[in-house]
Amino acid sequence: MGWFFGGAAMGPDDAGRLVVAVRRVGGSVTAGAGVLLSPGVVLTCAHVVNDALGRAVFAAAPPGRVALRIDYRDRHGTREATGELTHWIPPRRLDGTLPVREREDRVWHGDLAVLTFPRPPEGRMPQTRWAPMRPGQSLRAWSSSGRPGSFADVRVKTCDKSVGYVDGEPTGMSIGPAFSGGALWSVPGDAAVGLVAAHTMPPADPVTGRLLPHSSQHVARRSWAIPWQRIRRELASVGAVGLVDDEPPPDDPAFALFAETIHGIVPSTDLRGDLGRLVAGRCALRHPDDGSAPSPEEFARLLVTEPRALPALTEILRLRDPSAVRQLLAIGRMSPVPRLLSPREYGRLTEILGQLPGSVSARLPVAARAALPLAADYPVEPSGPAAAADVVDRLERLPGDSRSQGVSPRVPGLLRVMEYLAALCSEDRRAGLRLWCDGVAQRLGIPQSALAERRFDADEWAGALAACSGPPRVLVHITRGVLPDRYRLRIWCDEGTGPRQVTTESDRDHTGGEAARLLLHVLESFHRLSPEERRPLVEAVVDRSGLNLPIDEWETWSPDDVVPGVLGAEYPLVVNCPELLRRNERFLPEWRRRWRQLDTGASLRFSGATVGPRQIYGTLMDHQDAVRVAVDAAEHLRDGIVEVCLAVGVPVVVWDRGDESHAVDHIATVTTRELPEGVRSYRAKTVHRPSEYPGRPVLAWADADRPVPQLHLSEPQES
């Protein structure tokens, strides 16, 4: 119920639905009005309940747990419910004694009652937002009848936190008996500020009881109300303050310090109101439009409940009061709520990341792991805006790195990652991302020299990455066709900047020879566009059933060809099965860690006729430095062993899809990083010396640093 609040603005018509009608027992006559505190809870005056029950208006004795008919309104019309009396605060004289004297006492205290619906009400019910009553407020009250024109506009003349006097406008409806217990609504403040309690009627003839002729000396259209300030106190006295009060002070170590600091920084109510309106605007929150200001406590509550409020506040204060920014940010580090970026900074970063080429944005998780090698790992996620937003969300929660100059703030993990990502971008994109980093660093008070050091680290990393990057790739997603021995292909090329699609057909079946011809045609085009001396790697992306496809043996040789074309003999060809890696995502960190140890990790060999998946699993859990596995087991066990190895994150697995172990033995001496070329060399020998080289080797190769196309895979892998 504070100064800052969300949701859509409630106009006068919507606010009128907060007022309900309390019916008299045994009839349809209205006793008075009430206001919805929350869906199913009604606040009204105790004298309205007395009237509904047929008791004396100021009867003080609790009526018991009685039930009354309540008529409330939603967008579809009037509905009926039963409200049970749960809290009773009888009317009492100003000196605290009972009962109130109907003719002698002009004002009184107490006079509140709470009715609760025992069953959930039908339809969607609004909830009242409350604010203090202040002199000068323009308010609107509604009759319990619910008719569209049954409202009265009034202005608060005086308010002493116990009684507020309101005068009606000279035209329109005036407040009368049917208004008692209803809300007084501040349209600019978008909140209720009190309840209508009584109306000052014109003087009457003491004998006949008829109203005397009007005189300019008569009091006209004056009523008095129970201000919100007193409603809170009265409900607290019977243990019901939680029905209308704000939440208790947040259990956040920064709350009290924020309140104290804001009081010192912005002691002026006017300045605090201006600042509150600016912060609310940047955080897409609403606030009263009545010239009021948030209290320091309300401001502090916002900072420990709205994640981007603190950055928005410091963004506004950066040029006005840099020392206050440092103080607020230091307090913010004590709370788990504040995020790093203001709404503007976050929106701009989202815009920049959305404009990056897919080949660059797909490498955001790679840049994050390189920039923050000791931070929490990141799960495999599909690429695109959702993935970028998820990574940014995780990075915002991380503290800065450990290197800083003196007492200067540390460089946040998010800025470091964005510097690493910028190093992978083209010159214009890099400039935009680094300008964004400069702006955030200036707001946080981070020295330019500290950010420049991280920028230098990023450039060095990007240079090393380019120097040791793998060969260019042609990726082919292979699925089985409708007919046996027919295949459907989708092909991408990757010169080192990420996959770019070169074929889109996915519904045409090919024989192995036709598939080889298509792939060789793409490879020829690849050589023309990327004239490197290194042969490109052919990476076949398959599902579990495709691990043993004879892709390397696909061959094309028509009468017009001078030489044959055998894929596995000409090009290093590996298979990659993202499906298995995605089935058990808890092993993704293991996969990345093993891949980083590719040149130093251990090699294992599984052979024999009795080894099974359980033994393989236990061995790999015991040898967590294993990066390469050779499988030389009985054919009926081989595929299961291979799948276990791939599923737990072993990046390199070699086996023979035939029944020979010759290929596995032959390439056992080849270093792990050279395996694609070593297997290609063996496959070439099988073409002209098949009796000496009878093996049919398969090499599964899952590079954790290079993206695999995701949008077209049933089991997408990280980019």
Side-chain angles (χ1 to χ4, degrees):
M1 308 293 183
W3 195 86
F4 300 94
F5 51 96
M10 185 177 288
D13 293 338
D14 293 326
R17 292 190 291 112
L18 295 168
V19 177
V20 303
V22 180
R23 299 291 184 181
R24 287 178 178 166
V25 174
S28 60
V29 178
T30 301
V35 59
L36 287 168
L37 291 177
S38 61
V41 180
V42 171
L43 175 67
T44 187
C45 288
H47 77 260
V48 172
V49 173
N50 281 332
D51 188 14
L53 295 172
R55 303 197 328 157
V57 175
F58 295 113
R65 203 170 184 85
V66 296
L68 296 175
R69 175 182 160 187
I70 305 292
D71 292 347
Y72 66 94
R73 290 173 290 280
D74 60 18
R75 297 184 183 278
H76 304 290
T78 302
R79 299 179 182 272
E80 180 180 334
T82 298
E84 293 183 354
L85 183 66
T86 55
H87 295 86
W88 176 256
I89 305 174
R92 64 183 185 277
R93 293 199 292 269
L94 298 184
D95 61 5
T97 60
L98 301 173
V100 171
R101 296 162 297 184
E102 188 169 354
R103 295 186 180 275
E104 290 84 353
D105 294 314
R106 300 296 183 181
V107 295
W108 50 87
H109 287 169
D111 200 11
L112 294 173
V114 176
L115 301 165
T116 303
F117 297 175
R119 291 192 301 273
E122 298 180 10
R124 185 176 180 180
M125 303 182 72
Q127 182 169 353
T128 306
R129 181 179 167 272
W130 295 89
M133 181 181 289
R134 299 186 181 93
Q137 287 175 324
S138 294
L139 308 177
R140 175 164 289 185
W142 285 267
S143 165
S144 61
S145 68
R147 289 190 295 268
S150 62
F151 63 87
D153 289 332
V154 298
R155 182 178 294 274
V156 181
K157 294 299 183 178
T158 65
C159 179
D160 63 1
K161 299 184 181 180
S162 292
V163 173
Y165 286 97
V166 298
D167 284 0
E169 294 184 356
T171 60
M173 182 174 285
S174 64
I175 288 177
F179 287 73
S180 289
L184 286 162
W185 185 262
S186 169
V187 176
D190 200 11
V193 299
L195 296 185
V196 176
H199 180 65
T200 302
M201 297 298 292
D205 185 288
V207 177
T208 64
R210 295 179 180 178
L211 298 180
L212 295 176
H214 178 70
S215 167
S216 60
Q217 296 298 314
H218 291 169
V219 176
R221 296 199 168 193
R222 173 159 294 172
S223 304
W224 71 267
I226 307 174
W228 157 245
Q229 297 93 310
R230 179 155 71 86
I231 292 173
R232 289 184 58 185
R233 295 198 306 270
E234 299 277 12
L235 291 178
S237 68
V238 294
V241 70
L243 296 173
V244 292
D245 202 6
D246 289 328
E247 298 176 5
D251 185 17
D252 191 300
F255 174 72
L257 288 174
F258 271 138
E260 181 181 349
T261 302
I262 289 170
H263 180 74
I265 294 171
V266 198
S268 166
T269 302
D270 291 340
L271 292 178
R272 198 162 59 245
D274 292 340
L275 192 60
R277 283 182 279 275
L278 289 172
V279 173
R282 297 196 180 194
C283 294
L285 297 172
R286 294 192 296 120
H287 57 83
D289 195 22
D290 56 1
S292 61
S295 66
E297 289 74 21
E298 287 173 317
F299 229 130
R301 180 184 294 275
L302 176 71
L303 298 182
V304 297
T305 55
E306 175 61 37
R308 302 203 184 279
L310 177 60
L313 175 60
T314 57
E315 190 175 52
I316 296 167
L317 290 174
R318 183 173 67 87
L319 298 178
R320 303 181 186 182
D321 192 349
S323 63
V325 171
R326 291 192 294 271
Q327 191 175 359
L328 289 168
L329 290 174
I331 297 172
R333 286 191 283 272
M334 301 171 60
S335 170
V337 175
R339 296 292 178 84
L340 177 70
L341 303 180
S342 71
R344 287 186 178 184
E345 292 165 346
Y346 181 81
R348 178 57 182 153
L349 178 60
T350 302
E351 180 183 353
I352 292 173
L353 295 179
Q355 293 173 350
L356 293 178
S359 58
V360 176
S361 59
R363 304 176 78 179
L364 176 56
V366 176
R369 286 190 290 272
L372 305 169
L374 300 180
D377 215 332
Y378 299 93
V380 174
E381 294 289 347
S383 63
D390 179 68
V391 174
V392 170
D393 179 73
R394 293 168 182 266
L395 291 172
E396 278 194 277
R397 302 169 186 271
L398 297 180
D401 58 40
S402 59
R403 290 182 290 170
S404 62
Q405 297 180 352
V407 295
S408 299
R410 298 185 297 175
V411 179
L414 176 62
L415 291 193
R416 183 169 180 134
V417 171
M418 290 304 113
E419 289 290 350
Y420 273 62
L421 184 65
L424 301 176
C425 297
S426 61
E427 187 173 347
D428 57 335
R429 304 290 186 188
R430 182 185 309 126
L433 195 49
R434 285 183 167 171
L435 281 173
W436 177 88
C437 290
D438 289 339
V440 178
Q442 289 176 6
R443 175 178 66 81
L444 298 174
I446 296 171
Q448 185 62 34
S449 58
L451 189 62
E453 184 180 354
R454 311 314 187 269
R455 192 165 289 174
F456 178 78
D457 293 342
D459 288 335
E460 278 197 330
W461 168 76
L465 191 67
C468 68
S469 62
R473 299 183 299 167
V474 170
L475 298 105
V476 52
H477 180 213
I478 302 174
T479 55
R480 294 185 184 274
V482 177
L483 299 175
D485 298 327
R486 296 293 190 273
Y487 311 95
R488 295 181 178 180
L489 313 180
R490 186 165 288 176
I491 305 174
W492 295 261
C493 290
D494 179 7
E495 295 86 349
T497 59
R500 57 178 179 84
Q501 193 165 355
V502 294
T503 68
T504 58
E505 61 180 55
S506 60
D507 56 355
R508 180 182 172 188
D509 289 2
H510 302 270
T511 64
E514 292 169 342
R517 181 173 295 278
L518 176 60
L519 280 167
L520 289 171
H521 175 72
V522 171
L523 286 161
E524 288 177 355
S525 303
F526 189 90
H527 284 298
R528 288 194 297 270
L529 296 173
S530 181
E532 295 190 21
E533 296 182 358
R534 295 183 296 175
R535 287 190 185 94
L537 176 75
V538 178
E539 184 171 337
V541 182
V542 298
D543 58 19
R544 296 169 64 186
S545 65
L547 284 170
N548 288 303
L549 287 177
I551 304 167
D552 55 292
E553 298 177 11
W554 288 351
E555 174 180 352
T556 176
W557 194 1
S558 69
D560 295 331
D561 292 331
V562 177
V563 294
V566 182
L567 277 176
E570 289 193 38
Y571 295 96
L573 189 150
V574 300
V575 296
N576 191 349
C577 184
E579 173 190 348
L580 286 170
L581 203 56
R582 289 287 289 176
R583 286 177 67 88
N584 299 280
E585 293 193 359
R586 66 183 184 276
F587 293 112
L588 293 176
E590 287 294 305
W591 165 54
R592 300 187 191 104
R593 184 185 55 76
R594 291 180 195 265
W595 177 261
R596 289 196 295 267
Q597 300 173 354
L598 192 67
D599 296 312
T600 59
S603 298
L604 299 178
R605 180 164 179 161
F606 296 126
S607 59
T610 59
V611 65
R614 187 175 182 84
Q615 291 87 342
I616 301 302
Y617 166 81
T619 303
L620 291 174
M621 294 302 99
D622 187 31
H623 294 79
Q624 295 196 347
D625 61 340
V627 300
R628 167 180 172 179
V629 170
V631 181
D632 179 23
E635 186 174 356
H636 68 283
L637 298 174
R638 181 195 62 211
D639 292 347
I641 296 172
V642 168
E643 291 183 2
V644 171
C645 294
L646 296 176
V648 301
V650 177
V652 179
V653 183
V654 184
W655 71 96
D656 194 310
R657 65 173 170 269
D659 56 1
E660 297 283 344
S661 60
H662 186 273
V664 176
D665 292 335
H666 184 82
I667 61 180
T669 58
V670 180
T671 61
T672 302
R673 195 170 290 276
E674 297 300 322
L675 270 179
E677 177 59 25
V679 173
R680 185 209 64 80
S681 176
Y682 184 94
R683 288 166 176 160
K685 293 179 175 62
T686 66
V687 175
H688 67 105
R689 299 160 64 184
S691 60
E692 297 180 45
Y693 294 88
R696 304 173 69 191
V698 183
L699 173 60
W701 186 268
D703 189 334
D705 292 329
R706 306 191 74 176
V708 171
Q710 300 173 25
L711 298 179
H712 309 292
L713 299 179
S714 59
E715 292 289 347
Q717 186 181 5
E718 179 189 68
S719 20

